[in-house]
């Protein structure tokens, strides 16, 4: 039962990151911060919902591998040493994370899911789990589908899971860590904190999860020297509480669909009420 709820991993993570954040804090922040109980709900409930999505993604990827992947490609990947597979798996997986993450920011309907993650205004290690299950499933599809479809070994993909698990907590942690010259290669807490910043200059930047060079390569990096992010969040009020945050994208989608239907009916009847042809400032965002 302990393993089903991931309690052992959570306690180990807590014992590692809480002391580190006390010793190397990037910002003064309480352990029992705002939203802590909500994040604990994400930690222990989300996993069950995400698991369903992962099973579907992996099943579809394996079917593609068995029915469509050329045998020559299968043999080539099977013949690769474990460590070569690990490097390729992390590179491919993180490229998938980069582009799915960027899509979540670029497409307004997708952003409503991802905004749940960005709603965190006091960033620390536990913010890593503050994500809508649909958001996580979409990013898992981008990273895991190609890995299983190409037929990489279970051991190599398992290593990627382990690397990404710790990386996710580390880059959200409230620690002052920049990596020096390695900042051009690896995603550090400093790098990812800018991604969560509500400051205008940092908007829609730093999408990679492991390799920062993807952001340098695709022109989406923001990493100023001698400056630290001061504020986090989405810049407008978001719901509080686990269930309200789960419902948030559905409420926005329903509201916009209702508005579009009203505009469509008004347009077809030739009557447009004042203000109906304009989006509210809040709806314009994203």
């Amino acid at each position: 039962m302990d393993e089903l709820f991931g309690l052992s991993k959570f306690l180990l993570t807590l014992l590692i990151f809480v002391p580190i954040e006390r010793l190397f804090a990037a910002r003064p922040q309480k352990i029992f911060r705002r939203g802590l109980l909500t994040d604990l709900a994400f930690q222990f409930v989300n996993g069950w919902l995400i698991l369903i999505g992962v099973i579907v993604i992996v099943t579809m990827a394996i079917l593609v591998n068995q029915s469509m992947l050329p045998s020559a490609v299968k043999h080539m990947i099977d013949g690769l040493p474990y460590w070569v597979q690990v490097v390729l798996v992390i590179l491919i997986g993180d490229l998938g994370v980069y582009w799915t993450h960027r899509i979540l920011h670029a497409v307004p309907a997708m952003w409503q899911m991802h905004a749940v993650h960005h709603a965190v205004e006091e960033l620390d290690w536990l913010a890593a789990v503050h994500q809508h299950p649909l958001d996580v499933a979409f990013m898992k599809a981008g990273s895991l589908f190609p890995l299983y479809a190409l037929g990489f070994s279970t051991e190599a993909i398992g290593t990627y899971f382990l690397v990404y698990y710790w990386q996710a907590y580390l880059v959200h942690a409230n620690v002052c860590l920049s990596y020096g010259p390695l900042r051009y290669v690896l995603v550090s807490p400093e790098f990812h904190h800018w991604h969560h910043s509500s400051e205008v200059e940092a908007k829609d930047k730093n999408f990679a999860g492991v390799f920062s060079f993807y952001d340098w390569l695709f022109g989406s990096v923001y990493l100023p020297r001698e400056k630290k992010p001061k504020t986090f969040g989405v810049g407008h009020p978001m719901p509080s509480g686990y269930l309200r945050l789960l419902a948030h994208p559905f409420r926005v989608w329903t509201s916009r669909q209702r508005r579009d239907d009203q505009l469509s009916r008004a347009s077809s009847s030739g009557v447009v009420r004042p203000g109906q042809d304009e989006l509210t400032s809040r709806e314009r965002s994203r």
Side-chain angles (χ1 to χ4, degrees), residues 39-148:
D39 286 351
L40 289 174
F42 275 102
Q43 171 72 40
F44 293 111
V45 180
N46 255 20
W48 296 92
L49 301 174
I50 294 167
L51 180 61
I52 297 170
V54 169
I55 290 172
V56 172
I57 292 163
V58 171
T59 300
M60 292 177 62
I62 291 174
L63 289 174
V64 168
N65 174 268
Q66 293 176 346
S67 61
M68 298 176 62
L69 193 72
S71 57
V73 176
K74 292 181 184 180
H75 292 315
M76 180 189 73
I77 291 176
D78 285 341
L80 294 174
Y82 163 74
W83 286 109
V84 174
Q85 286 203 32
V86 166
V87 172
L88 290 175
V89 161
I90 297 176
L91 283 168
I92 294 170
D94 202 45
L95 183 61
V97 166
Y98 175 89
W99 282 112
T100 50
H101 196 175
R102 190 160 181 171
I103 290 169
L104 285 163
H105 279 254
V107 179
M110 303 294 283
W111 165 253
Q112 300 307 329
M113 297 187 304
H114 194 56
V116 171
H117 182 51
H118 280 266
V120 177
E121 295 180 348
E122 295 187 58
L123 206 62
D124 64 12
W125 66 281
L126 198 53
V129 301
H130 190 111
Q131 293 179 277
H132 198 283
L134 292 178
D135 177 3
V136 180
F138 182 67
M139 292 186 73
K140 295 285 187 193
S143 59
L144 296 184
F145 186 90
L147 300 180
Y148 280 97

Side-chain angles (χ1 to χ4, degrees), residues 122-197:
E122 295 187 58
L123 206 62
D124 64 12
W125 66 281
L126 198 53
V129 301
H130 190 111
Q131 293 179 277
H132 198 283
L134 292 178
D135 177 3
V136 180
F138 182 67
M139 292 186 73
K140 295 285 187 193
S143 59
L144 296 184
F145 186 90
L147 300 180
Y148 280 97
L150 288 169
F152 285 101
S153 70
T154 303
E155 292 79 10
I157 296 176
T159 302
Y160 171 63
F161 269 113
L162 186 62
V163 169
Y164 200 84
Y165 176 84
W166 290 105
Q167 174 71 355
Y169 284 112
L170 175 60
V171 297
H172 289 91
N174 179 26
V175 293
C176 187
L177 193 59
S178 67
Y179 291 6
L182 287 177
R183 71 211 297 260
Y184 298 104
V185 180
L186 299 174
V187 173
S188 65
E190 177 193 31
F191 184 94
H192 195 69
H193 287 188
W194 276 115
H195 176 72
H196 279 268
S197 174

Side-chain angles (χ1 to χ4, degrees), residues 207-220:
F207 297 109
V210 178
F211 295 116
S212 61
F213 62 72
Y214 283 131
D215 281 284
W216 294 97
L217 179 63
F218 297 117
S220 54

Side-chain angles (χ1 to χ4, degrees), residues 186-243:
L186 299 174
V187 173
S188 65
E190 177 193 31
F191 184 94
H192 195 69
H193 287 188
W194 276 115
H195 176 72
H196 279 268
S197 174
S198 57
E199 297 169 45
V200 175
E201 298 86 353
K203 181 181 176 182
D204 301 334
K205 302 292 184 181
N206 300 6
F207 297 109
V210 178
F211 295 116
S212 61
F213 62 72
Y214 283 131
D215 281 284
W216 294 97
L217 179 63
F218 297 117
S220 54
V221 71
Y222 182 75
L223 196 56
R225 293 185 180 274
E226 308 302 328
K227 186 180 178 183
K228 305 294 180 185
K230 295 188 175 88
T231 57
F232 304 98
V234 294
H236 60 73
M238 286 285 289
S240 60
Y242 179 71
L243 293 178

Side-chain angles (χ1 to χ4, degrees), residues 1-9 48:
M1 185 61 71
D2 168 73
E3 287 306 315
L4 285 176
F5 285 96
L7 186 58
S8 296
K9 287 194 296 185
W48 296 92

